[in-house]
Amino acid sequence: MSARIEFSEHVVRKRFRCARHAAVSARRSCALRRAGLRTPACQVDPENPHDLRFERIAGRAPTPAEMMASPTVLERAMALLAQLHRLAPATMPDLPVFDPLLRIRPRLAARGETWMSAVLAAAGPPTGHRGDPGVVVHGDLHAGQFLLDDSGSLWLLDLDDLAHGSPESDLGNFAAHLATAAGVPGRGHREPFEATLALVCDAYARQSPDVGIDRCRLGAYARLALLRRALKLAERGDTELMTRLQDWLSH
């Protein structure tokens, strides 16, 4: 569900393409808040049902570098994510099943990167959920989906891609974004990426020790997230990550 975001002094307005999408997003936000998850309150604008109005919380998004350098911020982010994953799937029964190729297919078709198609064909999709229907996943997790308020608390933002899936899908996407952010040392190289993946996985395990993370599945989701990230950056003219990934993913 794509939407345009507008900011004012006290309110964040999110404008959807249709009223149905706005209503679905509002229901998701309310369900998570009822479950105790820290996410901004919202309501459908009575004068324009295409719009949601969110309370504006004083704070900022932590940077990827801050997430990796500050154990406190990363631990809080993983605690919030673990809380989301612990929600009973029945809490949100209308969610779709997470599709890791959703944003890869059209971009790959447009660019025609044959090496990437070969990597995807050789790897195959990640193995399925551990159980049915899996857990509630964010679906597009990265540092910018968190807000660090003035009291030091973290909030989870942007619930438009919630789905039923595996915890490893969120962890893989989050690690891929951290490891490929602008200015991160070793951006796009294998060893720094694997170190970031281990950092994220270990932080999550400390917050959710009862969930056994499948390292093979995590690696598969993370590599898909890297490919998706490279395709998105290439659309903006930044092909550095694409070149570096080709060097180690296609061999």
Side-chain angles (χ1 to χ4, degrees):
M1 294 186 294
S2 59
R4 188 172 73 250
I5 300 177
E6 302 170 357
F7 297 90
S8 63
E9 185 177 357
H10 301 293
V11 174
V12 176
R13 184 180 296 273
K14 199 167 188 179
R15 181 158 294 168
F16 291 83
R17 293 180 178 177
C18 68
R20 183 177 65 84
H21 287 172
V24 167
S25 185
R27 286 198 302 272
R28 292 177 179 179
S29 178
C30 290
L32 294 189
R33 285 176 60 82
R34 284 195 301 270
L37 198 95
R38 192 180 294 112
T39 191
C42 74
Q43 63 178 6
V44 176
D45 188 333
E47 296 181 1
N48 189 342
H50 289 67
D51 291 5
L52 289 186
R53 295 186 300 185
F54 291 83
E55 60 175 328
R56 184 161 188 178
I57 298 165
R60 60 179 178 80
T63 66
E66 185 178 7
M67 282 281 190
M68 289 191 286
S70 171
T72 300
V73 176
L74 180 59
E75 294 284 343
R76 289 177 180 173
M78 293 299 95
L80 200 55
L81 180 62
Q83 186 181 357
L84 174 67
H85 290 169
R86 282 193 292 269
L87 291 179
T91 305
M92 311 183 82
D94 61 338
L95 294 180
V97 174
F98 178 72
D99 179 2
L101 300 178
L102 181 65
R103 291 182 174 86
I104 291 179
R105 293 188 194 95
R107 287 175 172 143
L108 184 56
R111 287 191 63 85
E113 296 285 348
T114 55
W115 71 269
M116 193 177 288
S117 298
V119 168
L120 290 173
T127 53
H129 312 314
R130 70 184 67 195
D132 185 19
V135 302
V136 176
V137 299
H138 184 277
D140 187 25
L141 195 73
H142 53 80
Q145 305 291 34
F146 293 96
L147 186 141
L148 183 64
D149 70 20
D150 291 346
S151 71
S153 296
L154 273 184
W155 298 69
L156 186 64
L157 310 178
D158 192 1
L159 310 176
D160 300 338
D161 292 303
L162 289 181
H164 291 149
S166 296
E168 292 88 352
S169 64
D170 276 341
L171 295 173
N173 196 73
F174 184 67
H177 273 260
L178 290 183
T180 57
V184 170
R187 180 177 184 251
H189 290 290
R190 183 171 191 163
E191 291 78 10
F193 165 69
E194 291 180 345
T196 301
L197 192 60
L199 179 73
V200 169
C201 186
D202 291 345
Y204 181 86
R206 287 190 291 272
Q207 299 300 324
S208 192
D210 55 320
V211 177
I213 295 300
D214 185 317
R215 297 281 178 146
C216 290
R217 184 183 300 152
L218 174 61
Y221 275 119
R223 287 188 291 274
L224 287 174
L226 283 174
L227 296 177
R228 183 169 64 249
R229 181 95 166 120
L231 286 166
K232 186 173 183 178
L233 291 172
E235 285 182 342
R236 303 172 182 174
D238 180 357
T239 59
E240 178 187 20
L241 180 59
M242 181 82 71
T243 301
R244 288 182 176 176
L245 290 182
Q246 185 174 4
D247 288 341
W248 62 272
L249 285 181
S250 59
H251 295 96

